[in-house]
Amino acid sequence: MTRKYPGLQRLAGVAVLAASVSLGAGSGSAQQLAARSDQQQRDASLKPAAKHAESMAAVTPSAPPARSDAKPIQRATARGPYYVDFRARTAASYGHAFVWYGKTSEKEVEVAGLAPAGDTLPYMLGHLVFVPSETGASYGDLDEQYLTASYRVYLNEADAKKVFAYIKHLQETSPLWNAATTNCTFFIGRIATFMGLKAPFHLLKPEEYVNELRELNGGRKTVQLESDRS
């Protein structure tokens, strides 16, 4: 039969081959559809859980960063409630040196310094001879815009009483001013020495003197008097 209808035999073979290919493709498509359906079901089941996790993350505060229990070492320098501030300011000539002193909690300050009493003439004569002096605040001592140097040192109450008394004693016993000897830097140098500080040579310009005073004492911020200071 096959010999009689060879064309029919080939046609049947082609039909069988096409059917098998079609079935194979259909089977593959069915498998893909089934896999896609399973994936969609899994995604649908996971979406509520993901949404719940997102909502919980939105309302739950994040954990604070871990902190070490170790605390930094604080090396605070104890400062007394009283002070003496060695200061220099500008002037018509080479400047003026003086001190502020008082209590840190109060705005009012005491001022002490040595200057020629009067105006230009006593100042000029004071470069040749001794002239009468004044030992309180002079023009510009309270104005920060004239300040050129400052070195503040702190004391406790007991030592402050001794130092302040000594400053007032110097004011009462310094009746004369001279540019080369008993001048303004010499005056504040005596206060520094009484406090136990190292004082520079007094023939320096006031600004240089105060800066040198700070350098000689290493910039120390506090002093404590010796027990025999009266």
Side-chain angles (χ1 to χ4, degrees):
M1 182 176 182
T2 55
R3 291 179 181 177
K4 188 178 288 188
Y5 303 103
L8 182 60
Q9 184 179 3
R10 285 195 295 270
L11 181 60
V14 171
V16 171
L17 179 61
S20 63
V21 171
S22 175
L23 288 174
S27 175
S29 300
Q31 290 176 357
Q32 291 177 359
L33 288 173
R36 186 177 303 171
S37 177
D38 291 342
Q39 182 65 36
Q40 289 175 351
Q41 290 178 359
R42 284 196 298 269
D43 292 345
S45 64
L46 291 176
K47 282 181 180 180
K51 290 182 178 180
H52 178 69
E54 291 178 359
S55 62
M56 291 298 293
V59 299
T60 304
S62 58
R67 293 182 300 178
S68 173
D69 293 335
K71 295 182 179 180
I73 299 175
Q74 296 181 352
R75 295 184 175 88
T77 303
R79 294 180 178 179
Y82 297 87
Y83 67 91
V84 174
D85 195 343
F86 300 90
R87 300 169 75 86
R89 65 167 175 81
T90 59
S93 56
Y94 40 74
H96 179 55
F98 56 101
V99 295
W100 279 9
Y101 63 100
K103 192 173 183 179
T104 55
S105 60
E106 298 176 356
K107 291 184 178 180
E108 184 177 356
V109 299
E110 296 284 345
V111 182
L114 186 65
D119 294 326
T120 306
L121 182 58
Y123 170 76
M124 297 299 294
L125 290 176
H127 285 74
L128 303 174
V129 297
F130 289 90
V131 296
S133 68
E134 59 184 16
T135 57
S138 57
Y139 178 80
D141 288 355
L142 295 174
D143 298 319
E144 291 289 342
Q145 66 264 32
Y146 300 129
L147 184 68
T148 57
S150 174
Y151 174 41
R152 178 168 293 200
V153 183
Y154 297 89
L155 312 94
N156 59 40
E157 184 175 3
D159 288 344
K161 289 181 178 180
K162 297 176 183 178
V163 173
F164 295 176
Y166 179 75
I167 293 174
K168 293 185 181 299
H169 170 72
L170 277 185
Q171 289 179 293
E172 296 170 356
T173 57
S174 302
L176 300 174
W177 180 86
N178 179 264
T181 55
T182 56
N183 58 13
C184 60
T185 51
F186 176 80
F187 182 86
I188 69 170
R190 293 183 66 183
I191 298 172
T193 301
F194 182 85
M195 295 171 61
L197 298 171
K198 298 176 182 179
F201 183 57
H202 71 280
L203 288 182
L204 291 173
K205 292 182 178 181
E207 180 180 356
E208 295 174 357
Y209 187 90
V210 173
N211 289 331
E212 182 67 17
L213 177 64
R214 184 194 304 106
E215 292 296 326
L216 280 178
N217 293 281
R220 59 186 294 192
K221 296 295 186 180
T222 60
V223 296
Q224 185 172 2
L225 269 61
E226 298 176 1
S227 57
D228 60 347
R229 296 282 182 182
S230 57

